Amino acid sequence: MTVIVLANCPAGLRGFLTRWLHEVSPGVFVGRPSARVRQALWDEVQEYSGNGRALLVHHADNEQGFAFDAHEHAWQPVDHDGLTLMRRPAAGGGPQAPTWTPVDDLDPAPDRKPPQPPSQGWSKAAKRRRFGQGR
């Protein structure tokens, strides 16, 4: 299975891809071409995409069962311990910031008390308790 996603690409490129793949949504092409045809299509996409960007997902003999290729795309495929993941750009445009929180940052500071839950809720049971209307 091969999936090619185009964004901001010329209409002629989309027409070219419809010769071998089905366009299931605007700019999304799906099909089962051979590896040789898939590579030829990807070479054409890279050459004629203009100012657009493209993403290729295809079958591969690895643990995931598929592989990525990106052209002029902000999200880049990155190998991480044998798995290919997509790295998104940082929000500020700078280097990629870690999205995980170190375990040390999860412990509250010793001088701060942990936040307390609200003493009164808004459920019907809490209102009965608050206003003395127990059943």
Side-chain angles (χ1 to χ4, degrees):
M1 178 67 72
T2 298
V3 179
I4 296 178
V5 181
L6 302 178
N8 288 338
C9 289
L13 180 59
R14 290 175 56 187
F16 173 78
L17 287 176
T18 57
R19 294 178 190 171
W20 290 276
L21 304 171
H22 296 284
E23 188 171 13
V24 295
S25 183
V28 180
F29 299 87
V30 178
R32 290 193 64 168
S34 65
R36 180 181 291 177
V37 172
R38 180 185 67 230
Q39 189 58 45
L41 291 174
W42 185 242
D43 292 341
E44 294 292 321
V45 166
Q46 290 176 330
E47 184 176 346
Y48 295 112
S49 63
N51 293 331
R53 58 185 189 269
L55 186 65
L56 169 71
V57 182
H58 61 89
H59 172 75
D61 291 328
N62 59 18
E63 290 182 9
Q64 286 177 298
F66 55 88
F68 300 102
D69 284 321
H71 175 69
E72 298 295 328
H73 206 282
W75 293 25
Q76 291 298 318
V78 176
D79 183 70
H80 182 73
D81 291 335
L83 296 177
T84 304
L85 305 174
M86 294 299 286
R87 176 181 288 160
R88 298 187 306 175
Q96 183 72 20
T99 56
W100 51 271
T101 304
V103 175
D104 297 338
D105 291 346
L106 295 177
D107 296 331
D111 58 339
R112 273 191 280 158
K113 294 181 181 177
Q116 297 296 323
S119 59
Q120 298 175 351
W122 293 101
S123 68
K124 290 181 181 180
K127 288 179 185 177
R128 284 190 214 111
R129 280 193 302 267
R130 195 172 339 146
F131 299 114
Q133 297 176 353
R135 287 188 172 172

